[in-house]
Amino acid sequence: MQKVLTGNQVKSLDEKYVSGEGISSYQLMERAAHTFCDWFISRFSEKITVSVFCGTGNNGGDGLAIARILHLKGYEVKVGLIGNPESGSVDFRQNLNVMPEFVIVEPWGQVVEGGVIIDAVFGVGINRPLEGEYLELIQRLNEAASAKISVDVPSGLPSDSPADGEAFRADYTISFQFPKIALLIPENAIYTGNLIVKSIGIDQKYFDSFESMRFFYSGEKLDEYHKQFHAFSHKGDFGRVLLAGGSYGKMGSIGLATRAALRTGSGLVFCHVPACGVEIIQAGIPEAMVMPAGEEKEVAAQLDSSGIDALGMGPGLGKGENASRFVHQVLSEYQGPTVIDADAINILGEHPDWLNFLHPKVILTPHIKEFERITGIACKNHFERMDLARDFSKKYGCVLVLKGAFTLISFPDGKQVFNNSGSVYMATGGSGDVLTGMLTSFLGQGYSIERAAICGVFHHGHAGELAGESMKRGTIASDIIAKIPESFRHFGID
């Protein structure tokens, strides 16, 4: 799991690494440039023309090195410079000195955009809005019809705060070693484009001295987060879970959660649904068992007598009197592992005093609007929302999964994990219900609350990626469920 640093910490990290490894900052820059070019070459033909626009700092030095390497690989490359080269950084000037004579290097105003524009004007150090000729350049590049790629961070975008004014609007941003926080913010999606994170070989030990409670997870050592089962394991070992939800016209939601729990590996899955949904569930999901609503005694007693290991509630539940009563009973009486989603969250938002029933075995899974309903706060931007999510989790002692691109998992100790799986094609009805079933399943199998959250969110996103590869915009929630076993196989999970 990769620790995420602030922009101010990046320079110190680079200094620690080059000192500890006995290499020069120029050599590290060269490594970053080769990493960028390896990605670039895998996606763009040699026949395409490339225009690299460089400032005079280290980001511009990256750009010059990229231009040189792409030229040597057979691309037609032009370089547009902005700023005074004589006052550039040491590594910028060294890269300028070794530029092949056949690469055209001119002031930016004299360079015509090629088929691909590479933005290497500003890096993580910018802390003020663009102005003057820098603003003029970025505005011109944004209007170009070319494909656009940023080196590490789009020029004009602060690495740790909201955008203030214009910034380069990239189709791709190639960020080195870890993503800067600004690249994970929904408001900045128009600048970041598709985020690609590439390692440049900085060992994790060099991150240890930097304080950060934010991490970026891309599936590293995922098998170590999973429980291991043996030849004599039986369905009881794989957990007995209850999914509660559904209402007239909304039985599909609880059905998706149920099927997802089964595909995630639950040994036994029970459905708590109203009478109108009993036949639907039994006919549509023969592997599930039904516990009809209205027949239970006290919720906690029923769950204990049934040997339930985890409960997930909310999908399709509705917000009527019976639904509210059920949510209150669960929160006030049941202390077992619980996932709260969808209408159960909306009911919480209508009864904020019930938040005090939350406990360390609860995972809440709101999207942004649902999060606003339970907190009563409409944040101005995602930076505020991240802090609010952290404080909420710490205050109520629960795990909060804030859904969206780079889903943010907040833990009661203040740790936050950005998830790096998923695709835009998962923005479809029922996707969240699938996540509820997966999280409940992992909790029922005996995973710790942290491991259940990390495994559930990551596999959910990865299964969505796999589904999207073939289905594209036609991806539906059932396609995600179908790919859960393939996600397990991909990471060697037995």
Side-chain angles (χ1 to χ4, degrees), residues 233-240 267-268 309 444:
S233 296
H234 53 81
K235 60 186 178 183
D237 295 328
F238 286 90
R240 300 163 62 94
L268 290 169
D309 298 303

Side-chain angles (χ1 to χ4, degrees), residues 299 311 313 325-334 338:
V299 171
L311 165 70
M313 64 175 176
R325 185 184 304 112
F326 178 79
V327 170
H328 182 268
Q329 280 188 302
V330 170
L331 291 175
S332 61
E333 299 173 13
Y334 184 60
T338 305

Side-chain angles (χ1 to χ4, degrees), residues 314-378:
L317 184 65
K319 296 195 297 178
E321 183 179 344
N322 290 338
S324 294
R325 185 184 304 112
F326 178 79
V327 170
H328 182 268
Q329 280 188 302
V330 170
L331 291 175
S332 61
E333 299 173 13
Y334 184 60
Q335 294 296 304
T338 305
V339 180
I340 303 175
D341 183 35
D343 284 331
I345 292 176
N346 293 325
I347 289 171
L348 262 180
E350 296 176 350
H351 301 85
D353 54 312
W354 295 0
L355 292 173
N356 294 311
F357 292 129
L358 299 178
H359 55 81
K361 293 183 180 181
V362 167
I363 301 178
L364 277 144
T365 63
H367 54 59
I368 288 174
K369 288 299 182 182
E370 290 169 339
F371 186 50
E372 290 180 356
R373 291 176 195 136
I374 59 174
T375 61
I377 299 173

